[in-house]
Short mmCIF file of all heavy atoms in Angstrom, two decimals:
data_model
loop_
_atom_site.label_atom_id
_atom_site.label_comp_id
_atom_site.label_asym_id
_atom_site.label_seq_id
_atom_site.Cartn_x
_atom_site.Cartn_y
_atom_site.Cartn_z
N THR A 104 110.70 98.81 102.98
CA THR A 104 111.84 98.91 102.09
C THR A 104 111.84 97.83 101.02
O THR A 104 111.26 96.76 101.20
CB THR A 104 113.17 98.84 102.87
OG1 THR A 104 114.26 98.87 101.96
CG2 THR A 104 113.24 97.58 103.69
N ALA A 105 112.49 98.15 99.93
CA ALA A 105 112.62 97.18 98.85
C ALA A 105 113.74 96.18 99.12
O ALA A 105 113.84 95.17 98.45
CB ALA A 105 112.90 97.90 97.53
N LEU A 106 114.58 96.47 100.07
CA LEU A 106 115.63 95.52 100.42
C LEU A 106 114.99 94.30 101.05
O LEU A 106 114.40 94.38 102.11
CB LEU A 106 116.62 96.12 101.41
CG LEU A 106 117.37 97.36 100.96
CD1 LEU A 106 118.23 97.89 102.10
CD2 LEU A 106 118.24 97.05 99.76
N ALA A 107 115.08 93.18 100.37
CA ALA A 107 114.27 92.04 100.79
C ALA A 107 115.09 90.84 101.23
O ALA A 107 114.56 89.77 101.45
CB ALA A 107 113.33 91.64 99.68
N MET A 108 116.38 91.02 101.31
CA MET A 108 117.20 89.89 101.71
C MET A 108 116.93 89.53 103.17
O MET A 108 116.57 90.36 103.97
CB MET A 108 118.69 90.26 101.58
CG MET A 108 119.07 90.85 100.24
SD MET A 108 119.32 89.59 99.00
CE MET A 108 120.89 88.93 99.52
N LYS A 109 117.11 88.24 103.45
CA LYS A 109 116.84 87.76 104.81
C LYS A 109 117.67 88.54 105.83
O LYS A 109 117.18 88.90 106.89
CB LYS A 109 117.17 86.28 104.87
CG LYS A 109 116.88 85.62 106.19
CD LYS A 109 116.83 84.11 106.04
CE LYS A 109 116.62 83.40 107.37
NZ LYS A 109 117.86 83.34 108.18
N GLU A 110 118.93 88.81 105.48
CA GLU A 110 119.78 89.53 106.44
C GLU A 110 119.32 90.96 106.66
O GLU A 110 119.50 91.53 107.73
CB GLU A 110 121.26 89.49 106.02
CG GLU A 110 121.51 89.89 104.61
CD GLU A 110 121.57 88.69 103.66
OE1 GLU A 110 120.77 87.74 103.82
OE2 GLU A 110 122.41 88.70 102.75
N ASP A 111 118.68 91.54 105.63
CA ASP A 111 118.13 92.89 105.81
C ASP A 111 116.99 92.86 106.81
O ASP A 111 116.90 93.70 107.70
CB ASP A 111 117.62 93.45 104.48
CG ASP A 111 118.75 93.75 103.52
OD1 ASP A 111 119.79 94.26 103.98
OD2 ASP A 111 118.58 93.48 102.32
N ARG A 112 116.10 91.89 106.63
CA ARG A 112 114.97 91.78 107.55
C ARG A 112 115.47 91.62 108.99
O ARG A 112 114.97 92.25 109.91
CB ARG A 112 114.09 90.59 107.17
CG ARG A 112 113.27 90.84 105.93
CD ARG A 112 112.15 89.83 105.82
NE ARG A 112 112.63 88.48 105.62
CZ ARG A 112 112.86 87.95 104.42
NH1 ARG A 112 112.66 88.67 103.35
NH2 ARG A 112 113.29 86.72 104.30
N GLU A 113 116.46 90.76 109.15
CA GLU A 113 117.00 90.53 110.50
C GLU A 113 117.64 91.79 111.06
O GLU A 113 117.52 92.10 112.25
CB GLU A 113 117.99 89.37 110.47
CG GLU A 113 117.28 88.04 110.28
CD GLU A 113 118.23 86.89 109.96
OE1 GLU A 113 119.44 87.13 109.78
OE2 GLU A 113 117.73 85.74 109.86
N ARG A 114 118.29 92.54 110.17
CA ARG A 114 118.93 93.77 110.61
C ARG A 114 117.88 94.78 111.09
O ARG A 114 118.05 95.44 112.11
CB ARG A 114 119.74 94.37 109.45
CG ARG A 114 120.51 95.62 109.79
CD ARG A 114 121.55 95.93 108.72
NE ARG A 114 120.96 96.25 107.42
CZ ARG A 114 120.58 97.49 107.08
NH1 ARG A 114 120.74 98.49 107.91
NH2 ARG A 114 120.08 97.72 105.88
N PHE A 115 116.77 94.87 110.36
CA PHE A 115 115.73 95.83 110.75
C PHE A 115 115.08 95.43 112.07
O PHE A 115 114.81 96.27 112.92
CB PHE A 115 114.67 95.96 109.65
CG PHE A 115 115.22 96.56 108.39
CD1 PHE A 115 114.93 96.00 107.15
CD2 PHE A 115 116.02 97.69 108.43
CE1 PHE A 115 115.44 96.54 105.99
CE2 PHE A 115 116.55 98.24 107.28
CZ PHE A 115 116.26 97.67 106.05
N LEU A 116 114.84 94.16 112.23
CA LEU A 116 114.23 93.72 113.48
C LEU A 116 115.21 93.91 114.64
O LEU A 116 114.83 94.34 115.72
CB LEU A 116 113.78 92.26 113.37
CG LEU A 116 112.66 92.04 112.33
CD1 LEU A 116 112.31 90.56 112.22
CD2 LEU A 116 111.41 92.85 112.65
N ALA A 117 116.49 93.65 114.37
CA ALA A 117 117.51 93.86 115.39
C ALA A 117 117.62 95.34 115.76
O ALA A 117 117.93 95.69 116.90
CB ALA A 117 118.86 93.33 114.92
N ALA A 118 117.37 96.21 114.78
CA ALA A 118 117.44 97.66 115.05
C ALA A 118 116.28 98.11 115.94
O ALA A 118 116.32 99.22 116.47
CB ALA A 118 117.43 98.44 113.73
N GLY A 119 115.27 97.27 116.06
CA GLY A 119 114.17 97.61 116.95
C GLY A 119 112.84 97.90 116.26
O GLY A 119 111.88 98.28 116.92
N PHE A 120 112.80 97.71 114.94
CA PHE A 120 111.51 97.86 114.27
C PHE A 120 110.56 96.76 114.75
O PHE A 120 110.98 95.64 115.06
CB PHE A 120 111.68 97.75 112.75
CG PHE A 120 112.24 99.00 112.11
CD1 PHE A 120 113.57 99.04 111.68
CD2 PHE A 120 111.45 100.13 111.92
CE1 PHE A 120 114.09 100.18 111.09
CE2 PHE A 120 111.97 101.27 111.33
CZ PHE A 120 113.30 101.30 110.91
N ASP A 121 109.26 97.09 114.76
CA ASP A 121 108.26 96.12 115.20
C ASP A 121 107.81 95.19 114.08
O ASP A 121 107.08 94.23 114.32
CB ASP A 121 107.04 96.87 115.74
CG ASP A 121 107.38 97.65 117.00
OD1 ASP A 121 107.72 97.00 118.00
OD2 ASP A 121 107.35 98.89 116.97
N GLY A 122 108.24 95.48 112.89
CA GLY A 122 107.87 94.64 111.76
C GLY A 122 108.51 95.16 110.50
O GLY A 122 109.33 96.09 110.54
N TYR A 123 108.11 94.58 109.39
CA TYR A 123 108.79 94.81 108.13
C TYR A 123 107.79 94.65 107.00
O TYR A 123 107.07 93.65 106.95
CB TYR A 123 109.90 93.77 108.02
CG TYR A 123 110.66 93.79 106.74
CD1 TYR A 123 111.86 94.49 106.65
CD2 TYR A 123 110.20 93.12 105.62
CE1 TYR A 123 112.56 94.52 105.47
CE2 TYR A 123 110.89 93.15 104.43
CZ TYR A 123 112.07 93.85 104.35
OH TYR A 123 112.76 93.89 103.18
N LEU A 124 107.71 95.65 106.12
CA LEU A 124 106.87 95.53 104.93
C LEU A 124 107.75 95.72 103.71
O LEU A 124 108.57 96.62 103.65
CB LEU A 124 105.78 96.61 104.92
CG LEU A 124 104.60 96.45 105.89
CD1 LEU A 124 103.64 97.62 105.70
CD2 LEU A 124 103.90 95.13 105.68
N GLU A 125 107.53 94.84 102.74
CA GLU A 125 108.34 94.89 101.53
C GLU A 125 107.70 95.76 100.47
O GLU A 125 106.49 95.72 100.26
CB GLU A 125 108.48 93.48 100.97
CG GLU A 125 109.82 92.85 101.25
CD GLU A 125 109.83 91.41 100.76
OE1 GLU A 125 109.46 91.17 99.61
OE2 GLU A 125 110.23 90.54 101.56
N LYS A 126 108.52 96.51 99.76
CA LYS A 126 108.08 97.18 98.53
C LYS A 126 108.37 96.25 97.36
O LYS A 126 109.38 95.56 97.37
CB LYS A 126 108.83 98.49 98.34
CG LYS A 126 108.47 99.58 99.30
CD LYS A 126 109.26 100.84 98.94
CE LYS A 126 109.06 101.92 99.97
NZ LYS A 126 109.86 103.11 99.65
N PRO A 127 107.57 96.27 96.32
CA PRO A 127 106.35 97.08 96.22
C PRO A 127 105.26 96.61 97.18
O PRO A 127 105.12 95.42 97.42
CB PRO A 127 105.91 96.88 94.76
CG PRO A 127 106.51 95.58 94.36
CD PRO A 127 107.80 95.45 95.11
N ILE A 128 104.52 97.59 97.70
CA ILE A 128 103.43 97.30 98.63
C ILE A 128 102.34 96.51 97.90
O ILE A 128 101.97 96.84 96.78
CB ILE A 128 102.84 98.62 99.18
CG1 ILE A 128 103.86 99.35 100.05
CG2 ILE A 128 101.54 98.38 99.92
CD1 ILE A 128 104.18 98.66 101.36
N ASP A 129 101.87 95.47 98.54
CA ASP A 129 100.74 94.68 98.02
C ASP A 129 99.46 95.31 98.55
O ASP A 129 99.15 95.19 99.74
CB ASP A 129 100.88 93.23 98.48
CG ASP A 129 99.79 92.33 97.91
OD1 ASP A 129 98.68 92.84 97.62
OD2 ASP A 129 100.04 91.12 97.76
N VAL A 130 98.73 96.01 97.68
CA VAL A 130 97.59 96.80 98.16
C VAL A 130 96.46 95.93 98.69
O VAL A 130 95.67 96.37 99.52
CB VAL A 130 97.04 97.75 97.06
CG1 VAL A 130 98.10 98.77 96.68
CG2 VAL A 130 96.57 96.99 95.85
N ARG A 131 96.40 94.69 98.26
CA ARG A 131 95.34 93.82 98.80
C ARG A 131 95.69 93.29 100.17
O ARG A 131 94.84 92.99 100.99
CB ARG A 131 95.07 92.66 97.83
CG ARG A 131 94.32 93.12 96.58
CD ARG A 131 93.99 91.96 95.69
NE ARG A 131 95.20 91.20 95.36
CZ ARG A 131 95.19 90.05 94.71
NH1 ARG A 131 94.05 89.51 94.34
NH2 ARG A 131 96.32 89.44 94.43
N GLU A 132 97.00 93.16 100.41
CA GLU A 132 97.46 92.64 101.71
C GLU A 132 97.62 93.73 102.76
O GLU A 132 97.54 93.45 103.97
CB GLU A 132 98.81 91.93 101.53
CG GLU A 132 98.72 90.59 100.84
CD GLU A 132 97.99 89.59 101.71
OE1 GLU A 132 98.22 89.55 102.93
OE2 GLU A 132 97.14 88.86 101.17
N LEU A 133 97.83 94.95 102.30
CA LEU A 133 98.21 96.02 103.23
C LEU A 133 97.24 96.22 104.40
O LEU A 133 97.69 96.31 105.55
CB LEU A 133 98.43 97.33 102.46
CG LEU A 133 98.91 98.52 103.31
CD1 LEU A 133 100.28 98.24 103.91
CD2 LEU A 133 98.94 99.80 102.48
N PRO A 134 95.92 96.29 104.16
CA PRO A 134 95.01 96.51 105.29
C PRO A 134 95.15 95.45 106.37
O PRO A 134 95.15 95.76 107.57
CB PRO A 134 93.62 96.46 104.63
CG PRO A 134 93.86 96.88 103.22
CD PRO A 134 95.19 96.29 102.86
N ARG A 135 95.30 94.21 105.97
CA ARG A 135 95.45 93.13 106.94
C ARG A 135 96.79 93.24 107.68
O ARG A 135 96.88 93.01 108.88
CB ARG A 135 95.33 91.78 106.23
CG ARG A 135 94.97 90.64 107.14
CD ARG A 135 94.32 89.53 106.36
NE ARG A 135 94.98 89.29 105.08
CZ ARG A 135 95.47 88.11 104.70
NH1 ARG A 135 95.37 87.09 105.50
NH2 ARG A 135 96.03 87.96 103.53
N GLN A 136 97.82 93.59 106.92
CA GLN A 136 99.14 93.73 107.55
C GLN A 136 99.12 94.84 108.58
O GLN A 136 99.66 94.69 109.68
CB GLN A 136 100.18 94.03 106.46
CG GLN A 136 100.44 92.85 105.54
CD GLN A 136 101.26 93.24 104.30
OE1 GLN A 136 101.11 94.33 103.76
NE2 GLN A 136 102.12 92.34 103.86
N VAL A 137 98.48 95.95 108.24
CA VAL A 137 98.42 97.08 109.16
C VAL A 137 97.57 96.73 110.37
O VAL A 137 97.93 97.03 111.51
CB VAL A 137 97.89 98.33 108.44
CG1 VAL A 137 97.48 99.42 109.43
CG2 VAL A 137 98.94 98.86 107.48
N ALA A 138 96.45 96.05 110.15
CA ALA A 138 95.58 95.66 111.27
C ALA A 138 96.34 94.78 112.25
O ALA A 138 96.18 94.89 113.47
CB ALA A 138 94.34 94.94 110.75
N ALA A 139 97.18 93.90 111.72
CA ALA A 139 97.93 92.99 112.58
C ALA A 139 99.01 93.73 113.37
O ALA A 139 99.43 93.28 114.43
CB ALA A 139 98.57 91.89 111.73
N LEU A 140 99.43 94.87 112.85
CA LEU A 140 100.53 95.60 113.49
C LEU A 140 100.05 96.68 114.45
O LEU A 140 100.77 97.06 115.36
CB LEU A 140 101.40 96.26 112.40
CG LEU A 140 102.18 95.28 111.53
CD1 LEU A 140 102.64 95.95 110.24
CD2 LEU A 140 103.39 94.75 112.29
N LEU A 141 98.82 97.16 114.25
CA LEU A 141 98.30 98.21 115.12
C LEU A 141 97.94 97.62 116.48
O LEU A 141 97.28 96.60 116.56
CB LEU A 141 97.04 98.82 114.53
CG LEU A 141 97.17 100.11 113.74
CD1 LEU A 141 95.84 100.42 113.08
CD2 LEU A 141 97.61 101.27 114.60
N PRO A 142 98.35 98.28 117.56
CA PRO A 142 97.92 97.81 118.87
C PRO A 142 96.44 98.10 119.07
O PRO A 142 95.99 99.21 118.79
CB PRO A 142 98.78 98.63 119.83
CG PRO A 142 99.21 99.83 119.07
CD PRO A 142 99.17 99.47 117.62
N GLY A 143 95.69 97.11 119.51
CA GLY A 143 94.28 97.30 119.84
C GLY A 143 93.45 97.90 118.73
O GLY A 143 92.70 98.83 118.95
N ASP A 144 93.60 97.37 117.54
CA ASP A 144 92.82 97.87 116.40
C ASP A 144 91.34 97.67 116.67
O ASP A 144 90.88 96.54 116.79
CB ASP A 144 93.26 97.13 115.14
CG ASP A 144 92.55 97.65 113.90
OD1 ASP A 144 91.80 98.63 114.01
OD2 ASP A 144 92.76 97.07 112.83
N ASP A 145 90.60 98.78 116.77
CA ASP A 145 89.15 98.67 117.02
C ASP A 145 88.36 99.16 115.81
O ASP A 145 87.24 99.58 115.91
CB ASP A 145 88.76 99.46 118.26
CG ASP A 145 89.23 100.91 118.20
OD1 ASP A 145 89.86 101.29 117.20
OD2 ASP A 145 88.96 101.66 119.15
N ARG A 146 88.99 99.08 114.66
CA ARG A 146 88.32 99.47 113.42
C ARG A 146 87.13 98.53 113.18
O ARG A 146 87.26 97.32 113.34
CB ARG A 146 89.31 99.36 112.26
CG ARG A 146 88.81 99.90 110.95
CD ARG A 146 89.98 99.94 109.98
NE ARG A 146 90.80 98.73 110.06
CZ ARG A 146 90.69 97.74 109.20
NH1 ARG A 146 89.85 97.78 108.22
NH2 ARG A 146 91.45 96.68 109.34
#
Side-chain angles (χ1 to χ4, degrees):
T104 177
L106 299 176
M108 309 279 286
K109 183 163 177 282
E110 50 266 39
D111 291 320
R112 287 196 294 271
E113 287 168 355
R114 183 165 65 87
F115 295 134
L116 295 177
F120 283 105
D121 295 295
Y123 176 96
L124 287 180
E125 257 175 51
K126 290 183 187 178
I128 294 291
D129 183 332
V130 296
R131 287 184 305 173
E132 286 293 318
L133 183 63
R135 201 156 42 124
Q136 291 168 324
V137 165
L140 292 162
L141 263 172
D144 183 5
D145 53 0
R146 188 170 43 99

